[in-house]
């Protein structure tokens, strides 16, 4: 009887060890753009870096799984998720009703407002529709910022670009009158040598939730409730244990999470 019990206990221990090892070996593939610094960027040696990447890695560590990152052009990032090229999108994607028709979202992991930047010698004084009438405004295509600019600045020409770097280059070279994007993206660009040409003009107001959504969330395939619940629990955990704060302070001088919701 004792021998049988020892065998059973040994078998249970082996099964638990195997289960733990399998959990550690589990891989979650994360899709991101790699062209939206400081949130995500692809370095010259092909490494993905940025706030999104560090947050995703922290979430994977919290869930005790391995992260594998996949760079994907923004315009094709949702179709690539649906095609199972990766399991989740961590790429500063705003949670909007339109996108909810195609994917499911976790709770937000940050929420920052939009802003407008112009050349330093610009005569523009404000960021209203009237202020920008007749001007050409650059923004990234297939984003909430493009949707906002198109619907708000109807007396302006809104020009869409595949990446933030491309509209930034055109603003610096005098081919645009203004650009619209996340305030963090613009502010950090303006602090670089490439952004020395330009200045922050202001934040449009109001910032409608129906366009900008509830903040940036992690997109997963429709119906993947298990992964969604695990990611939500992990977001809550890293907010509570200080890991989120540690990553936030690496990139920003203020809490980009926004108000608790």
């Amino acid at each position: 009887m004792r021998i049988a019990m020892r065998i059973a206990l040994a078998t249970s221990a082996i099964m638990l060890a195997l289960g733990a090892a399998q959990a550690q070996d589990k891989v979650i593939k994360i899709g991101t753009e790699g062209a939206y610094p400081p949130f995500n960027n692809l370095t010259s040696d092909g490494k993905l870096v940025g706030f999104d990447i560090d947050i995703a890695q922290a979430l994977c560590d919290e869930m005790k799984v391995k992260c594998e990152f996949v760079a994907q052009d923004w315009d094709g990032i949702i179709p690539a998720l649906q095609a199972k090229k990766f399991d989740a999108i961590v790429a500063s994607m705003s949670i909007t009703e339109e996108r909810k028709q195609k994917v499911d979202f976790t709770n937000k992991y940050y929420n920052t407002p939009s802003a407008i930047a112009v050349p330093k010698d610009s005569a523009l004084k404000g960021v209203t529709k009237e202020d920008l009438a007749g001007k050409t405004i650059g923004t990234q295509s297939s984003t909430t910022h493009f949707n906002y600019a198109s619907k708000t600045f109807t007396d302006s020409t809104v020009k869409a670009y595949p990446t933030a770097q491309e509209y930034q280059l055109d603003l610096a070279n005098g081919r645009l009158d203004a650009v619209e994007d996340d305030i963090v993206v613009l502010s950090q660009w303006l602090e670089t040598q490439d952004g020395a040409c330009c200045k922050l003009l202001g934040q449009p107001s109001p910032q409608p939730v129906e366009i900008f959504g509830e903040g940036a969330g992690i997109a997963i395939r429709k119906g993947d409730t298990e992964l969604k619940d695990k990611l939500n629990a992990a977001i809550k955990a890293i907010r509570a244990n200080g890991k989120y704060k540690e990553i936030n302070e690496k990139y920003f001088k203020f809490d980009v999470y926004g108000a608790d919701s």
Side-chain angles (χ1 to χ4, degrees), residues 111-179:
N111 191 11
T112 50
S114 73
I116 288 178
V118 297
K120 280 184 175 175
D121 61 358
S122 173
L124 288 168
K125 301 298 182 185
V127 295
T128 66
K129 174 184 175 180
E130 293 73 24
D131 290 324
L132 293 165
K135 305 300 182 183
T136 301
I137 305 168
T139 190
Q140 188 175 358
S141 63
S142 303
T143 64
T144 53
H145 299 285
F146 173 76
N147 293 342
Y148 176 76
S150 299
K151 291 178 180 179
T152 303
F153 304 116
T154 52
D155 295 330
S156 306
T157 300
V158 176
K159 188 174 180 181
Y161 291 81
T163 67
Q165 287 96 327
E166 289 170 88
Y167 74 61
Q168 290 166 1
L169 183 63
D170 269 8
L171 184 66
N173 290 329
R175 291 189 284 267
L176 292 170
D177 298 300
V179 295

Side-chain angles (χ1 to χ4, degrees), residues 31 41 51 61 68 84 87 118 182 203 225 227 235 239:
N41 197 30
F51 178 78
D61 291 345
E68 185 176 301
K84 299 187 177 180
D87 305 301
V118 297
D182 185 280
Q203 296 177 44
T225 307
L227 181 56
I235 291 170
R239 284 286 295 170

Side-chain angles (χ1 to χ4, degrees), residues 213-236:
E214 307 153 29
I218 299 170
I220 59 269
R221 282 184 290 277
K222 279 282 188 183
D224 195 349
T225 307
E226 182 181 359
L227 181 56
K228 177 181 175 179
D229 290 345
K230 286 179 178 178
L231 285 166
N232 275 334
I235 291 170
K236 185 176 181 179

